[in-house]
Amino acid sequence: MTTSSLQESYLRLMPNEHLGTSWFQRLREYLSRFEQLNLELVLSIISTTNTFTVEELNEITSFCSPSVVKHLMLKDVAPPLNFESLLDGLFWTCHPESLSVESMWGRSDEFMQFLREKLMEKEGVQPVCCDSRSVKCWRHYLKGIEVENSTTSLHGDSFSPCQVSTICFKLRW
């Protein structure tokens, strides 16, 4: 089957290695193969370390542009991950039309709060963070943010209930 014949694709990744700049670069190159698709990307972040830096990218002379992804879902994002670095790496890699974060047992609650604050602080502000660099960060491309929904529900049975929280953002690039 060729990629041009696919209408929709679901890609689930569970990175358990260090999420450095080269990991995000390889993911971006891989996603570029799915340019024309309605791609749903689910990342279960098992890694506990990440060090994405835009400065490292200024040394690279050629790379593909970020893929537009229909939906990006993040699961299991918890400290000690560097949330700022993770968000920079993800949004450098792809531009999702919607982004959701799922938190079981409150594991990703801190990341959900960080994400809400970081995205809302961007609203209406012209970024000046990397004007002098050849590679710009995601803040220069994101045009609008809207919280689509935020829910908390119980799953499982009465003997072992599990609280699941989800927040979903609609993003305009």
Side-chain angles (χ1 to χ4, degrees):
M1 181 184 307
T2 64
T3 56
S4 61
S5 65
L6 290 173
Q7 295 300 310
E8 193 166 304
S9 180
Y10 174 85
L11 179 62
R12 181 181 177 97
L13 300 174
M14 299 178 72
N16 58 2
E17 61 187 68
H18 172 77
L19 301 180
T21 304
S22 63
W23 186 89
F24 287 103
Q25 185 179 3
R26 287 190 313 270
L27 177 60
R28 183 171 168 159
E29 288 169 2
Y30 179 75
L31 291 177
S32 71
R33 300 176 190 175
F34 299 96
E35 257 181 69
Q36 308 284 323
L37 300 178
N38 288 322
L39 180 66
E40 181 171 337
L41 177 61
V42 178
L43 289 175
S44 295
I45 310 290
I46 298 168
S47 175
T48 57
T49 60
N50 61 315
T51 55
F52 176 85
T53 57
V54 175
E55 290 80 15
E56 287 181 48
L57 297 173
N58 284 319
E59 300 166 6
I60 300 168
T61 55
S62 68
F63 48 81
C64 52
S65 59
S67 296
V68 174
V69 172
K70 180 179 175 183
H71 182 75
L72 172 61
M73 174 179 257
L74 302 175
K75 296 181 174 190
D76 302 323
V77 180
L81 275 177
N82 178 330
F83 297 152
E84 184 92 31
S85 176
L86 177 65
L87 188 60
D88 287 348
L90 289 171
F91 284 169
W92 177 80
T93 301
C94 66
H95 289 171
E97 293 173 1
S98 65
L99 167 69
S100 61
V101 180
E102 185 178 276
S103 176
M104 292 181 69
W105 301 105
R107 183 171 156 82
S108 298
D109 286 355
E110 193 176 328
F111 178 68
M112 291 169 88
Q113 182 61 32
F114 165 83
L115 192 58
R116 183 188 301 262
E117 289 171 6
K118 189 56 72 175
L119 291 177
M120 292 305 158
E121 106 184 354
K122 161 46 183 129
E123 191 82 283
V125 176
Q126 185 64 31
V128 292
C129 48
C130 48
D131 281 340
S132 62
R133 296 186 196 142
S134 61
V135 177
K136 304 292 185 227
C137 72
W138 59 271
R139 291 165 191 84
H140 293 265
Y141 304 101
L142 188 61
K143 305 295 181 218
I145 304 109
E146 179 182 323
V147 177
E148 276 191 324
N149 60 48
S150 183
T151 61
T152 300
S153 56
L154 288 176
H155 295 274
D157 56 34
S158 59
F159 297 110
S160 59
C162 175
Q163 180 177 324
V164 178
S165 299
T166 305
I167 189 166
C168 187
F169 299 91
K170 184 175 180 137
L171 306 173
R172 242 181 332 104
W173 297 93

